[in-house]
Amino acid sequence: MKELKIFSPATVANVSCGFDVLGFCLDTIGDEMIIRKTVEKGVRITKIVGADLPFETKKNVAGVAALAIMNAANPDFGVEIEIYKNIKPGSGVGSSSASASGAVWAINELLGKPYNKQELTAFGMKGEAIASGAEHADNVAPGIFGGFTLVKQLNPLKVVQLPTPSKMYATILHPQIEVKTSEARAILPKEVSLQKAIKQWANVGSFVSGLYDEDYELISDSLVDNIVEPHRSKLIPHFDAVKEAMLKAGALGAGISGSGPSIFSLCKGEENAKKVAEAVIEVYKDKSINYDVYVSKINTKGIKIINLK
Ligand code: HSE
C-alpha cells in the first residue's frame, strides 16, 4: 500500500457530565485526508483545502501527530499529507483532533498496523495538544475507537471503549462563530466544590451504566453538567434557548459540544433527532449568525478508509 484516502469523523467531547473524559464519534461530518508514502523521509503537509491552517509540519496538528508516530516507528520512508477540511476549526466538534487522529491512523495502516488503538490515541494527543494548549484525549479517542469512549487517565493513557445503544443519534447545531479551546479552558474555575463534584461523578457513572443497559431514561437523567456549562455557555449565543428547544423536542439531553460553540443533543432514534433539528432551526433561523445543523447516527467504527492504492 502506497497511499490511503480516509474519512476522519467529527467527534463530541465532554458529553455534558464527562469534562475531558467522555466523547463520542459522529458519522455525517468529517474531514478527508490523503496520506502517501514518499521516498524522502520525514513528514510534509502538501495540501490543505477548506481551512487556513499552517503547512509547517511542527505547527500543524496533523503534522505533529504524524511526527510522533513516524519518530516512534522510524520506517525507511516518509509521508506527505493532504487535508480536506469539512470540520471548521474552532467549531467544537473535534476539528483539530480529526486531523491529528486521521494522520496517525492512516500512517499506522501504511506501516502495517504495528500500533493498537491506545497507542494511536497517545500519538494523536500530541497533535491535539498544540491546538488546545493542553493534552486531552476526549476527541481523539472516539475518532480512533469509534462509538463512545471514556479516557480513564492520561499518564499512561488508558481509554475505555463503551457500548453504543442501538437507537442512539445525535443532533448538532454549529453556530458559525469561533470559540478557541484554549480560551474556553482559560475561563474555567481551577477548583470545584465537593458538592458539585459529587453530582458530576455520580452522573458520569450512571451515564456509563445507562450505555451498557441501553437505559435511555438513565442516560437522559445523567446528561447534566453543573461545573463547566455555566461558564462556557456564556460564549455561545442563544445557548439556553437552543438547549430548551432540544429538550422540549424530546432530546435525551443537550449541552456544549467540546469547548463550543456547537451544541449537541443525544436522541433516541432518527425520527426524534430530526425533530430536534427542526426545533433548533426554529430558534436560529431569524438570528444574524450563520449555522449548520447535523443529524448523525453514532459512528461505531471511527475513521474509515475511502480508498487505497
Ligand atoms: N475536553 C476538551 C475541552 C475538549 O472541553 O476543553 C475540547 O477540545
Side-chain angles (χ1 to χ4, degrees):
M1 198 196 312
K2 287 197 177 92
E3 180 182 312
L4 209 59
K5 184 172 186 189
I6 58 157
F7 169 75
S8 193
T11 48
V12 171
N14 300 338
V15 201
S16 293
C17 53
F19 178 68
D20 269 5
V21 299
L22 286 174
F24 65 83
C25 189
L26 297 168
D27 216 13
T28 48
I29 337 170
D31 294 342
E32 289 183 2
M33 300 175 79
I34 293 174
I35 288 85
R36 191 176 295 122
K37 276 186 187 176
T38 57
V39 175
E40 195 185 335
K41 283 185 143 199
V43 175
R44 276 159 300 277
I45 313 285
T46 51
K47 200 168 179 181
I48 302 173
V49 177
D52 185 15
L53 295 168
F55 278 83
E56 196 182 319
T57 306
K58 286 188 177 156
K59 289 191 177 155
N60 181 295
V61 292
V64 172
L67 281 175
I69 184 170
M70 290 295 277
N71 288 342
N74 194 22
D76 61 1
F77 60 86
V79 289
E80 56 185 36
I81 302 175
E82 296 180 9
I83 306 170
Y84 300 85
K85 292 297 299 175
N86 293 314
I87 316 171
K88 291 195 179 65
S91 57
V93 282
S95 179
S96 53
S97 74
S99 300
S101 51
V104 298
W105 190 91
I107 291 171
N108 191 48
E109 297 288 309
L110 293 176
L111 290 167
K113 297 195 202 179
Y115 298 109
N116 64 27
K117 290 177 180 176
Q118 300 278 348
E119 290 163 324
L120 292 182
T121 304
F123 291 132
M125 234 169 71
K126 300 289 171 212
E128 170 77 317
I130 67 157
S132 66
E135 281 200 346
H136 52 90
D138 51 342
N139 280 113
V140 178
I144 302 258
F145 283 76
F148 286 85
T149 52
L150 178 120
V151 181
K152 196 255 169 212
Q153 63 190 43
L154 286 180
N155 284 309
L157 181 69
K158 185 155 189 205
V159 177
V160 181
Q161 169 96 70
L162 301 171
T164 299
S166 55
K167 297 188 183 115
M168 196 64 97
Y169 274 76
T171 301
I172 313 281
L173 166 76
H174 170 216
Q176 290 183 12
I177 57 161
E178 190 179 345
V179 172
K180 287 205 163 66
T181 298
S182 50
E183 285 164 19
R185 290 181 86 82
I187 62 164
L188 297 179
K190 299 287 167 278
E191 287 171 7
V192 295
S193 71
L194 183 60
Q195 208 185 15
K196 283 184 181 170
I198 290 168
K199 282 191 186 155
Q200 202 89 345
W201 61 55
N203 281 327
V204 176
S206 56
F207 179 77
V208 169
S209 173
L211 292 180
Y212 274 93
D213 290 344
E214 298 223 4
D215 183 340
Y216 292 94
E217 217 178 295
L218 185 59
I219 289 170
S220 174
D221 218 27
S222 312
L223 285 167
V224 180
D225 172 10
N226 55 59
I227 293 180
V228 175
E229 187 177 293
H231 299 278
R232 286 185 169 174
S233 57
K234 296 176 194 145
L235 304 175
I236 305 170
H238 317 294
F239 174 82
D240 291 340
V242 171
K243 181 171 173 178
E244 198 187 320
M246 284 172 153
L247 295 177
K248 213 165 146 202
L252 297 168
I256 303 171
S257 175
S259 55
S262 287
I263 303 171
F264 83 96
S265 65
L266 281 171
C267 301
K268 185 178 177 185
E270 188 175 16
E271 205 181 310
N272 182 244
K274 286 183 176 163
K275 202 173 148 202
V276 169
E278 282 165 22
V280 163
I281 291 168
E282 275 306 307
V283 177
Y284 248 75
K285 68 177 187 197
D286 57 0
K287 305 287 187 280
S288 55
I289 302 165
N290 288 338
Y291 64 94
D292 296 305
V293 177
Y294 304 97
V295 170
S296 174
K297 199 169 173 34
I298 307 304
N299 169 357
T300 54
K301 299 271 182 285
I303 298 164
K304 294 170 195 170
I305 295 176
I306 297 172
N307 60 46
L308 42 91
K309 287 182 190 164

PDB file of all heavy atoms in Angstrom, residues 13-14 18-21 96 128 132 136 138-139 181 184-185 188 228 232 258-259, ligand 1:
ATOM      1  N   ALA A  13     -16.907  15.909  22.412  1.00  0.00           N
ATOM      2  CA  ALA A  13     -16.212  15.639  23.677  1.00  0.00           C
ATOM      3  C   ALA A  13     -17.018  16.190  24.849  1.00  0.00           C
ATOM      4  O   ALA A  13     -17.897  17.028  24.674  1.00  0.00           O
ATOM      5  CB  ALA A  13     -14.834  16.284  23.658  1.00  0.00           C
ATOM      6  N   ASN A  14     -16.718  15.679  26.010  1.00  0.00           N
ATOM      7  CA  ASN A  14     -17.297  16.083  27.310  1.00  0.00           C
ATOM      8  C   ASN A  14     -18.661  15.423  27.576  1.00  0.00           C
ATOM      9  O   ASN A  14     -18.886  14.897  28.646  1.00  0.00           O
ATOM     10  CB  ASN A  14     -17.417  17.602  27.464  1.00  0.00           C
ATOM     11  CG  ASN A  14     -16.073  18.302  27.362  1.00  0.00           C
ATOM     12  OD1 ASN A  14     -15.037  17.698  27.582  1.00  0.00           O
ATOM     13  ND2 ASN A  14     -16.077  19.568  27.002  1.00  0.00           N
ATOM     14  N   GLY A  18     -19.103  14.589  31.456  1.00  0.00           N
ATOM     15  CA  GLY A  18     -17.752  13.997  31.446  1.00  0.00           C
ATOM     16  C   GLY A  18     -16.667  14.900  30.901  1.00  0.00           C
ATOM     17  O   GLY A  18     -15.930  14.500  29.979  1.00  0.00           O
ATOM     18  N   PHE A  19     -16.518  16.095  31.492  1.00  0.00           N
ATOM     19  CA  PHE A  19     -15.488  17.027  31.000  1.00  0.00           C
ATOM     20  C   PHE A  19     -14.119  16.347  30.915  1.00  0.00           C
ATOM     21  O   PHE A  19     -13.635  15.774  31.890  1.00  0.00           O
ATOM     22  CB  PHE A  19     -15.403  18.249  31.932  1.00  0.00           C
ATOM     23  CG  PHE A  19     -14.347  19.231  31.532  1.00  0.00           C
ATOM     24  CD1 PHE A  19     -14.469  19.963  30.361  1.00  0.00           C
ATOM     25  CD2 PHE A  19     -13.213  19.418  32.318  1.00  0.00           C
ATOM     26  CE1 PHE A  19     -13.484  20.878  29.976  1.00  0.00           C
ATOM     27  CE2 PHE A  19     -12.229  20.333  31.946  1.00  0.00           C
ATOM     28  CZ  PHE A  19     -12.367  21.052  30.766  1.00  0.00           C
ATOM     29  N   ASP A  20     -13.543  16.391  29.725  1.00  0.00           N
ATOM     30  CA  ASP A  20     -12.204  15.845  29.436  1.00  0.00           C
ATOM     31  C   ASP A  20     -12.120  14.311  29.461  1.00  0.00           C
ATOM     32  O   ASP A  20     -11.034  13.760  29.288  1.00  0.00           O
ATOM     33  CB  ASP A  20     -11.135  16.412  30.387  1.00  0.00           C
ATOM     34  CG  ASP A  20     -10.476  17.680  29.822  1.00  0.00           C
ATOM     35  OD1 ASP A  20     -10.912  18.164  28.751  1.00  0.00           O
ATOM     36  OD2 ASP A  20      -9.529  18.195  30.455  1.00  0.00           O
ATOM     37  N   VAL A  21     -13.246  13.624  29.743  1.00  0.00           N
ATOM     38  CA  VAL A  21     -13.151  12.158  29.784  1.00  0.00           C
ATOM     39  C   VAL A  21     -14.100  11.437  28.815  1.00  0.00           C
ATOM     40  O   VAL A  21     -13.742  10.402  28.258  1.00  0.00           O
ATOM     41  CB  VAL A  21     -13.324  11.588  31.223  1.00  0.00           C
ATOM     42  CG1 VAL A  21     -12.244  12.120  32.144  1.00  0.00           C
ATOM     43  CG2 VAL A  21     -14.685  11.843  31.811  1.00  0.00           C
ATOM     44  N   SER A  96      -9.500  19.826  15.161  1.00  0.00           N
ATOM     45  CA  SER A  96      -8.065  19.546  15.242  1.00  0.00           C
ATOM     46  C   SER A  96      -7.814  18.063  15.509  1.00  0.00           C
ATOM     47  O   SER A  96      -6.893  17.465  14.939  1.00  0.00           O
ATOM     48  CB  SER A  96      -7.397  20.410  16.316  1.00  0.00           C
ATOM     49  OG  SER A  96      -8.073  20.277  17.524  1.00  0.00           O
ATOM     50  N   GLU A 128      -3.119  17.125  19.037  1.00  0.00           N
ATOM     51  CA  GLU A 128      -4.245  17.849  19.640  1.00  0.00           C
ATOM     52  C   GLU A 128      -3.747  18.872  20.670  1.00  0.00           C
ATOM     53  O   GLU A 128      -4.300  19.969  20.790  1.00  0.00           O
ATOM     54  CB  GLU A 128      -5.176  16.807  20.287  1.00  0.00           C
ATOM     55  CG  GLU A 128      -6.272  17.339  21.166  1.00  0.00           C
ATOM     56  CD  GLU A 128      -7.447  17.911  20.399  1.00  0.00           C
ATOM     57  OE1 GLU A 128      -7.199  18.631  19.422  1.00  0.00           O
ATOM     58  OE2 GLU A 128      -8.589  17.662  20.799  1.00  0.00           O
ATOM     59  N   SER A 132      -4.935  23.042  21.516  1.00  0.00           N
ATOM     60  CA  SER A 132      -5.729  23.490  22.664  1.00  0.00           C
ATOM     61  C   SER A 132      -4.885  23.951  23.842  1.00  0.00           C
ATOM     62  O   SER A 132      -5.408  24.469  24.811  1.00  0.00           O
ATOM     63  CB  SER A 132      -6.645  22.357  23.122  1.00  0.00           C
ATOM     64  OG  SER A 132      -5.870  21.299  23.619  1.00  0.00           O
ATOM     65  N   HIS A 136      -5.349  16.415  26.094  1.00  0.00           N
ATOM     66  CA  HIS A 136      -6.568  15.694  26.480  1.00  0.00           C
ATOM     67  C   HIS A 136      -6.947  14.834  25.290  1.00  0.00           C
ATOM     68  O   HIS A 136      -6.636  15.149  24.141  1.00  0.00           O
ATOM     69  CB  HIS A 136      -7.684  16.637  26.908  1.00  0.00           C
ATOM     70  CG  HIS A 136      -7.971  17.716  25.934  1.00  0.00           C
ATOM     71  ND1 HIS A 136      -8.881  17.575  24.936  1.00  0.00           N
ATOM     72  CD2 HIS A 136      -7.424  18.929  25.777  1.00  0.00           C
ATOM     73  CE1 HIS A 136      -8.899  18.663  24.221  1.00  0.00           C
ATOM     74  NE2 HIS A 136      -8.018  19.507  24.696  1.00  0.00           N
ATOM     75  N   ASP A 138     -10.179  13.336  24.772  1.00  0.00           N
ATOM     76  CA  ASP A 138     -11.610  13.011  24.677  1.00  0.00           C
ATOM     77  C   ASP A 138     -12.204  13.240  23.288  1.00  0.00           C
ATOM     78  O   ASP A 138     -13.329  12.808  23.027  1.00  0.00           O
ATOM     79  CB  ASP A 138     -12.427  13.712  25.771  1.00  0.00           C
ATOM     80  CG  ASP A 138     -12.178  15.203  25.876  1.00  0.00           C
ATOM     81  OD1 ASP A 138     -11.149  15.681  25.367  1.00  0.00           O
ATOM     82  OD2 ASP A 138     -13.010  15.893  26.472  1.00  0.00           O
ATOM     83  N   ASN A 139     -11.493  13.917  22.386  1.00  0.00           N
ATOM     84  CA  ASN A 139     -11.905  13.962  20.970  1.00  0.00           C
ATOM     85  C   ASN A 139     -11.134  12.932  20.141  1.00  0.00           C
ATOM     86  O   ASN A 139     -11.693  12.327  19.225  1.00  0.00           O
ATOM     87  CB  ASN A 139     -11.652  15.335  20.342  1.00  0.00           C
ATOM     88  CG  ASN A 139     -12.699  16.361  20.685  1.00  0.00           C
ATOM     89  OD1 ASN A 139     -12.417  17.331  21.382  1.00  0.00           O
ATOM     90  ND2 ASN A 139     -13.921  16.163  20.209  1.00  0.00           N
ATOM     91  N   THR A 181     -10.466  26.629  21.876  1.00  0.00           N
ATOM     92  CA  THR A 181     -10.451  25.731  23.034  1.00  0.00           C
ATOM     93  C   THR A 181      -9.581  26.298  24.153  1.00  0.00           C
ATOM     94  O   THR A 181      -9.956  26.251  25.328  1.00  0.00           O
ATOM     95  CB  THR A 181      -9.945  24.333  22.614  1.00  0.00           C
ATOM     96  OG1 THR A 181     -10.858  23.813  21.656  1.00  0.00           O
ATOM     97  CG2 THR A 181      -9.873  23.375  23.784  1.00  0.00           C
ATOM     98  N   ALA A 184     -11.561  28.830  25.924  1.00  0.00           N
ATOM     99  CA  ALA A 184     -12.690  28.235  26.663  1.00  0.00           C
ATOM    100  C   ALA A 184     -12.182  27.460  27.881  1.00  0.00           C
ATOM    101  O   ALA A 184     -12.923  27.243  28.838  1.00  0.00           O
ATOM    102  CB  ALA A 184     -13.487  27.316  25.742  1.00  0.00           C
ATOM    103  N   ARG A 185     -10.938  27.038  27.857  1.00  0.00           N
ATOM    104  CA  ARG A 185     -10.350  26.360  29.024  1.00  0.00           C
ATOM    105  C   ARG A 185      -9.896  27.387  30.054  1.00  0.00           C
ATOM    106  O   ARG A 185      -9.984  27.165  31.261  1.00  0.00           O
ATOM    107  CB  ARG A 185      -9.165  25.471  28.618  1.00  0.00           C
ATOM    108  CG  ARG A 185      -9.572  24.239  27.825  1.00  0.00           C
ATOM    109  CD  ARG A 185      -8.387  23.369  27.462  1.00  0.00           C
ATOM    110  NE  ARG A 185      -8.031  22.416  28.496  1.00  0.00           N
ATOM    111  CZ  ARG A 185      -8.622  21.238  28.692  1.00  0.00           C
ATOM    112  NH1 ARG A 185      -9.639  20.871  27.933  1.00  0.00           N
ATOM    113  NH2 ARG A 185      -8.231  20.416  29.643  1.00  0.00           N
ATOM    114  N   LEU A 188     -12.325  28.618  32.865  1.00  0.00           N
ATOM    115  CA  LEU A 188     -12.890  27.669  33.832  1.00  0.00           C
ATOM    116  C   LEU A 188     -12.270  27.843  35.219  1.00  0.00           C
ATOM    117  O   LEU A 188     -11.085  28.163  35.338  1.00  0.00           O
ATOM    118  CB  LEU A 188     -12.657  26.231  33.346  1.00  0.00           C
ATOM    119  CG  LEU A 188     -13.348  25.880  32.031  1.00  0.00           C
ATOM    120  CD1 LEU A 188     -13.042  24.446  31.637  1.00  0.00           C
ATOM    121  CD2 LEU A 188     -14.855  26.103  32.140  1.00  0.00           C
ATOM    122  N   VAL A 228     -18.934  22.903  34.163  1.00  0.00           N
ATOM    123  CA  VAL A 228     -18.324  23.637  33.044  1.00  0.00           C
ATOM    124  C   VAL A 228     -19.358  24.482  32.278  1.00  0.00           C
ATOM    125  O   VAL A 228     -19.107  25.645  31.951  1.00  0.00           O
ATOM    126  CB  VAL A 228     -17.615  22.639  32.093  1.00  0.00           C
ATOM    127  CG1 VAL A 228     -17.074  23.348  30.860  1.00  0.00           C
ATOM    128  CG2 VAL A 228     -16.477  21.932  32.818  1.00  0.00           C
ATOM    129  N   ARG A 232     -19.063  28.242  30.283  1.00  0.00           N
ATOM    130  CA  ARG A 232     -18.840  28.306  28.834  1.00  0.00           C
ATOM    131  C   ARG A 232     -20.082  28.694  28.040  1.00  0.00           C
ATOM    132  O   ARG A 232     -19.962  29.205  26.925  1.00  0.00           O
ATOM    133  CB  ARG A 232     -18.329  26.950  28.341  1.00  0.00           C
ATOM    134  CG  ARG A 232     -16.893  26.693  28.721  1.00  0.00           C
ATOM    135  CD  ARG A 232     -16.427  25.411  28.094  1.00  0.00           C
ATOM    136  NE  ARG A 232     -14.997  25.232  28.214  1.00  0.00           N
ATOM    137  CZ  ARG A 232     -14.367  24.124  27.846  1.00  0.00           C
ATOM    138  NH1 ARG A 232     -15.053  23.115  27.332  1.00  0.00           N
ATOM    139  NH2 ARG A 232     -13.063  24.038  27.970  1.00  0.00           N
ATOM    140  N   GLY A 258     -17.852  19.664  23.137  1.00  0.00           N
ATOM    141  CA  GLY A 258     -16.453  20.015  23.384  1.00  0.00           C
ATOM    142  C   GLY A 258     -16.389  21.380  24.048  1.00  0.00           C
ATOM    143  O   GLY A 258     -17.119  21.658  24.996  1.00  0.00           O
ATOM    144  N   SER A 259     -15.558  22.264  23.490  1.00  0.00           N
ATOM    145  CA  SER A 259     -15.446  23.596  24.094  1.00  0.00           C
ATOM    146  C   SER A 259     -16.340  24.612  23.381  1.00  0.00           C
ATOM    147  O   SER A 259     -16.198  25.805  23.577  1.00  0.00           O
ATOM    148  CB  SER A 259     -13.980  24.035  24.072  1.00  0.00           C
ATOM    149  OG  SER A 259     -13.475  23.971  22.760  1.00  0.00           O
TER     150      SER A 259
HETATM  151  N1  HSE B   1     -12.389  18.427  26.771  1.00  0.00           N
HETATM  152  C1  HSE B   1     -11.965  19.480  25.920  1.00  0.00           C
HETATM  153  C2  HSE B   1     -12.487  20.800  26.451  1.00  0.00           C
HETATM  154  C3  HSE B   1     -12.494  19.223  24.527  1.00  0.00           C
HETATM  155  O1  HSE B   1     -13.687  20.869  26.666  1.00  0.00           O
HETATM  156  O2  HSE B   1     -11.706  21.721  26.649  1.00  0.00           O
HETATM  157  C4  HSE B   1     -12.197  20.302  23.545  1.00  0.00           C
HETATM  158  O3  HSE B   1     -11.055  20.034  22.821  1.00  0.00           O
END
